[in-house]
Amino acid sequence: MEFGTRIFIAFLVSQVVCTGSQEEEEKAECVPGFQEKEYRVEYSGGFLKDIPLLQAQMAVFLTVLNYAVVFDDCTGNEGVEFEVSNPDFLIDEKLNLVPRRHVIDSGDVMFVHGVNNHVDDMAQVTIMGAPSRSPQTLREILGLSDMMPYRSKRSLLVPPMFVPENQRAPFPRLIGKVISSNMKEDHIFRLTGRGADQDPKGVFSINRLTGDVAVSRALDREAIAYYHLQVSTTDLSGKLVEGPADLDVSVIDQNDNRPVFKEPRYSGEVQEGSPTGTTVMTMTAYDADDPNTDNAVLRYIIVRQLPDKPSPNMFYIDPERGDIVTVISPHQLDRETLPTTQYELEIVAKDMAGSEVGLTGTATATITITDRNDHAPEFTHSLFQASVNEGSTGVVVNLTVDDRDDPATGAWRAIYSIINGDPNQNFEIQTNLDNNEGMLSVVKPLDYESAMFHTLLIKVENEDPLVPDVVYGSSSTATVYITVMDVNEGPVFFPDPLVVIRRENIPVGSFVAMLNATDPDYLQTQSIRFSVLRDPADWLIVNPFKGNVTTRAILDRESPHVHNNQYTALFMATDNGSPPASGTGTLIITIEDENDNAPYIFPSVARVCEDSKDMNVVIGGRDKDIHPNTDPFKIELGKQPGLEKTWKISRINDTHSQIMLLHSLKKANYNLPLVLTDSGVPPISNNTELKVQVCTCKKNRMDCSHAGSIQTNILLLLGLVLLSILCL
């Protein structure tokens, strides 16, 4: 098998035989080690056992691809030993680089170490086209700085290593080799880090003498994809000699995970009439394998569509992105003609980029064909008829329509409007949400005498606008013919209420008001009778034929039935129709006041302290009448002689006066005669008495408990006062 260009490494195992002149030999300067540091081999799927990659030949100069490949320690190359970093390869007895076994996962870099007593050098072999690995070069492995001379070396070589996951027994398995040019008999290799002496412990081990690194059990890349360990050399006492140097172990992925959808069932929707290529939804699956390999490269396919009408391939899925798009034409994607509004797709995701050996995962996509408003509503009849009694309200007719769009959507729900025949807005239409019918109602009572018939033009539309290529036609309008039925209506009072002004105390039989009521049924000849419906004080009487209202009792403004000077009564007018109808009217009488109530004092009882130096009492006047028949009040002492020697009255304002006691009185009750006069024309006076209680007062507390036991007449009191004065 040919694996591309084979690069031959020629190792000089004897002295260099020169074919040129002696002068050219003297000019050549020998640099120990590999004369070329990097070699390339093409990867063609793997390497067969014992088939050389690089052939080394005994030659003085061997030119391959226009450059010389030479190893020279400048002393004759005696005792040169070669070691390969990948344990799957070796330098055979013919000095060729050959695989020990069939190798697929070779890695993309390996190193050849040449060493004897005079030289210690390495060369890098790059496998072109090998599966991607960690991009480390010989200089990176050796930790050489860009500022260091190219031939600077480290004696501890730790190449990157690769382990396929899910390997089978037997274990342990050799995965690589660590090389040290300074190893001595009393030196040993030591491996530390996660996977060695840290959890998970014991996954990797190293041969203390040879540096061979082995794995002890099968690995799972999805659990741990990368191990970072350290290698060092110590003497037998444990003293560090070299290192630590990093050892990176990458777990090579195997296709051991199926693609998995997040959900077993997905839902999407597409509107009917959508253009071909409309994206419906995106299906996304996930694969736990290495995303940098084909093991996690997914491809999507639709394996089944239910139902398969009108075409088994109504939808297409982008194999790489998982986008589901429509394939069916917009004309065929008609919700009203399709056998169903839901289609079920079985979607398969396959890894290995969809190859036959790929693993699969399955999910279901349910696609709903949604409605658009591509059908205008149409009335089931062009003419609807109804009749309604005058004066009544409510639903009079239900308007029915057909609409092929999806029920309970804005493309189906109807909106009704009256476009002609309702100038006074007597009608209203509301949509019945259950059946989409239009409920035509009378909201303002109709009058038979004004119009016996009404003709309405009704239009129906959808909540959602129609699609551009669909319009409302003649079937979207209908005529409604309403017949108004005559009903015997009750008489109507005018004005209502009727307001009049009358003075209180007018004589019985006085005229109050004339009621006016008319019968709306003017097309019929009917008579009207009046009657009293409500008269709280029973003051009024009405003539049943003429409607004139007169008094049957005295009007009293101060009556409890009068509120804010107004008295309200209700009257009824009844026609002689069949059956009779009646109406009610209100009469409001504003009653003017007369000075027919005497004023009275308030309060009627006053209390004073017996030892008080200033015995003053404030009293006021009140009157049931209103201005100008009330205040200002005149409050005077009674006409009994001598009162002014004991009492004095001083006016405070229009309604109140102050009574002062001129002499101390004993603890008792006294009745003081007073005269109150209002300001009416003519004025009215009231002779009354003020009860004065003289009480014992101590520490701001008034005790009048014994005052009521002594009733003293003002005349006796005056006599006692005069006697006491004469005795002086």
Side-chain angles (χ1 to χ4, degrees), residues 193-331:
R194 184 185 183 191
D197 60 346
Q198 298 177 17
D199 291 333
K201 296 180 180 179
V203 176
F204 302 99
S205 62
I206 189 169
N207 188 303
R208 300 197 302 170
L209 301 179
T210 65
D212 291 334
V213 179
V215 62
S216 62
R217 57 178 180 264
L219 303 182
D220 182 4
R221 189 203 69 85
E222 287 71 45
I224 302 177
Y226 178 82
Y227 293 86
H228 184 73
L229 303 100
Q230 291 79 38
V231 177
S232 57
T233 59
T234 67
D235 58 20
L236 296 179
S237 66
K239 182 179 179 181
L240 182 66
V241 176
E242 292 179 285
D246 292 335
L247 170 58
D248 295 328
V249 180
S250 298
V251 182
I252 301 173
D253 187 45
Q254 288 189 345
N255 192 19
D256 57 346
N257 289 278
R258 293 182 178 274
V260 176
F261 289 91
K262 281 189 173 181
E263 302 291 339
R265 183 176 294 274
Y266 292 78
S267 298
E269 58 183 34
V270 61
Q271 191 179 62
E272 63 172 333
S274 296
T276 301
T278 299
T279 300
V280 181
M281 60 193 301
T282 299
M283 303 288 290
T284 304
Y286 299 88
D287 196 309
D289 291 320
D290 188 351
N292 297 316
T293 68
D294 284 350
N295 296 339
V297 177
L298 305 183
R299 296 292 182 266
Y300 300 92
I301 59 173
I302 300 174
V303 297
R304 185 177 60 177
Q305 171 191 302
L306 291 177
D308 58 359
K309 305 295 182 183
S311 167
N313 299 309
M314 296 174 58
F315 305 95
Y316 166 79
I317 188 168
D318 186 290
E320 295 184 5
R321 297 193 300 268
D323 296 336
I324 298 178
V325 299
T326 60
V327 179
I328 189 172
S329 67
H331 176 71

Side-chain angles (χ1 to χ4, degrees), residues 570-585:
L570 295 180
F571 294 86
M572 183 169 62
T574 305
D575 63 22
N576 61 345
S578 180
S582 61
T584 60

Side-chain angles (χ1 to χ4, degrees), residues 348-644:
V348 170
K350 181 181 287 189
D351 61 18
M352 295 300 291
S355 69
E356 294 183 358
V357 297
L359 303 178
T360 61
T362 304
T364 299
T366 300
I367 299 177
T368 301
I369 312 300
T370 61
D371 188 37
R372 63 175 187 161
N373 197 11
D374 56 350
H375 295 89
E378 298 178 345
F379 282 100
T380 58
H381 305 284
S382 60
L383 176 65
F384 295 85
Q385 297 185 19
S387 60
V388 58
N389 291 330
E390 68 169 330
S392 65
T393 59
V395 177
V396 295
V397 64
N398 290 322
L399 309 176
T400 55
V401 295
D402 286 332
D403 196 317
R404 298 175 60 191
D405 291 313
D406 185 13
T409 67
W412 177 82
R413 286 191 290 268
I415 298 177
Y416 298 86
S417 58
I418 302 172
I419 59 177
N420 195 13
D422 186 26
N424 298 322
Q425 298 182 343
N426 294 97
F427 300 92
E428 180 182 88
I429 304 179
Q430 292 184 342
T431 302
N432 188 325
L433 300 180
D434 295 330
N435 53 25
N436 222 24
E437 293 182 354
M439 300 181 293
L440 178 63
S441 302
V442 177
V443 293
K444 292 182 180 179
L446 302 176
D447 184 13
Y448 172 85
E449 286 71 27
S450 298
M452 292 181 285
F453 306 100
H454 294 268
T455 302
L456 307 179
L457 185 61
I458 310 296
K459 181 180 180 180
V460 62
E461 297 175 303
N462 289 132
E463 287 185 2
D464 293 345
L466 295 173
V467 296
D469 55 339
V470 178
V471 296
Y472 292 103
S474 59
S475 297
S476 296
T477 58
T479 301
V480 181
Y481 192 71
I482 306 293
T483 301
V484 182
M485 308 299 293
D486 187 27
V487 173
N488 185 27
E489 301 172 83
V492 178
F493 282 86
F494 180 82
D496 187 25
L498 174 61
V499 179
V500 297
I501 300 174
R502 296 292 181 267
R503 196 169 192 83
E504 69 174 330
N505 301 322
I506 60 176
V508 174
S510 297
F511 174 79
V512 176
M514 177 64 73
L515 302 179
N516 182 26
T518 59
D519 194 332
D521 301 306
Y522 61 83
L523 297 180
Q524 304 177 26
T525 303
Q526 298 182 146
S527 61
I528 297 175
R529 291 177 62 89
F530 296 94
S531 60
V532 177
L533 182 63
R534 182 173 180 271
D535 181 11
D538 199 22
W539 287 343
L540 307 174
I541 189 171
V542 61
N543 185 297
F545 303 104
K546 297 180 180 180
N548 55 313
V549 179
T550 57
T551 61
R552 63 187 298 172
I554 298 298
L555 302 182
D556 183 9
R557 192 200 66 83
E558 291 74 35
S559 169
H561 300 291
V562 176
H563 303 283
N564 296 324
N565 302 323
Q566 290 185 334
Y567 179 75
T568 302
L570 295 180
F571 294 86
M572 183 169 62
T574 305
D575 63 22
N576 61 345
S578 180
S582 61
T584 60
T586 302
L587 173 63
I588 298 177
I589 305 173
T590 300
I591 302 178
E592 294 181 337
D593 186 43
E594 282 195 350
N595 193 17
D596 56 350
N597 290 278
Y600 58 93
I601 62 169
F602 184 86
S604 60
V605 177
R607 294 178 177 180
V608 295
C609 296
E610 62 178 342
D611 57 353
S612 175
K613 296 181 180 179
D614 297 322
M615 300 178 66
N616 299 327
V617 176
V618 177
I619 62 172
R622 292 187 178 182
D623 198 317
K624 292 183 180 181
D625 294 319
I626 59 175
H627 286 288
N629 298 319
T630 57
D631 60 88
F633 297 113
K634 181 187 293 184
I635 304 177
E636 301 173 300
L637 294 173
K639 300 303 180 179
Q640 299 178 13
L643 289 179
E644 68 278 1

Side-chain angles (χ1 to χ4, degrees), residues 45-277:
F47 303 101
L48 299 179
K49 180 180 179 181
D50 298 331
I51 302 299
L53 279 71
L54 301 173
Q55 291 183 336
Q57 297 185 359
M58 302 285 291
V60 177
F61 291 103
L62 177 61
T63 302
V64 179
L65 298 179
N66 298 324
Y67 62 86
V69 179
V70 177
F71 181 88
D72 189 0
D73 71 347
C74 302
T75 62
N77 290 340
E78 294 183 0
V80 177
E81 295 182 356
F82 296 96
E83 199 168 17
V84 183
S85 63
N86 191 326
D88 291 332
F89 297 86
L90 55 81
I91 301 295
D92 65 6
E93 67 276 2
K94 296 180 181 181
L95 304 180
N96 296 325
L97 178 62
V98 296
R100 298 175 183 267
R101 58 181 181 84
H102 297 318
V103 177
I104 296 178
D105 299 319
S106 62
D108 51 6
V109 176
M110 67 179 72
F111 309 98
V112 179
H113 184 203
V115 63
N116 66 1
N117 293 332
H118 303 288
V119 67
D120 184 347
D121 199 9
M122 295 186 186
Q124 175 176 316
V125 180
T126 301
I127 312 299
M128 304 298 296
S132 177
R133 295 293 184 266
S134 199
Q136 292 178 296
T137 64
L138 173 62
R139 296 179 64 81
E140 292 171 331
I141 293 295
L142 297 177
L144 301 178
S145 169
D146 292 338
M147 300 300 296
M148 296 176 64
Y150 185 79
R151 287 191 175 275
S152 297
K153 303 179 181 67
R154 291 178 59 184
S155 59
L156 189 61
L157 173 62
V158 185
M161 300 181 187
F162 306 92
V163 182
E165 67 172 334
N166 304 323
Q167 286 181 312
R168 296 182 178 179
F171 290 102
R173 286 176 177 265
L174 192 64
I175 64 170
K177 185 179 183 66
V178 177
I179 301 173
S180 174
S181 60
N182 293 333
M183 284 294 290
K184 298 181 180 180
E185 292 183 357
D186 62 342
H187 291 178
I188 60 175
F189 289 98
R190 181 185 177 191
L191 184 64
T192 59
R194 184 185 183 191
D197 60 346
Q198 298 177 17
D199 291 333
K201 296 180 180 179
V203 176
F204 302 99
S205 62
I206 189 169
N207 188 303
R208 300 197 302 170
L209 301 179
T210 65
D212 291 334
V213 179
V215 62
S216 62
R217 57 178 180 264
L219 303 182
D220 182 4
R221 189 203 69 85
E222 287 71 45
I224 302 177
Y226 178 82
Y227 293 86
H228 184 73
L229 303 100
Q230 291 79 38
V231 177
S232 57
T233 59
T234 67
D235 58 20
L236 296 179
S237 66
K239 182 179 179 181
L240 182 66
V241 176
E242 292 179 285
D246 292 335
L247 170 58
D248 295 328
V249 180
S250 298
V251 182
I252 301 173
D253 187 45
Q254 288 189 345
N255 192 19
D256 57 346
N257 289 278
R258 293 182 178 274
V260 176
F261 289 91
K262 281 189 173 181
E263 302 291 339
R265 183 176 294 274
Y266 292 78
S267 298
E269 58 183 34
V270 61
Q271 191 179 62
E272 63 172 333
S274 296
T276 301

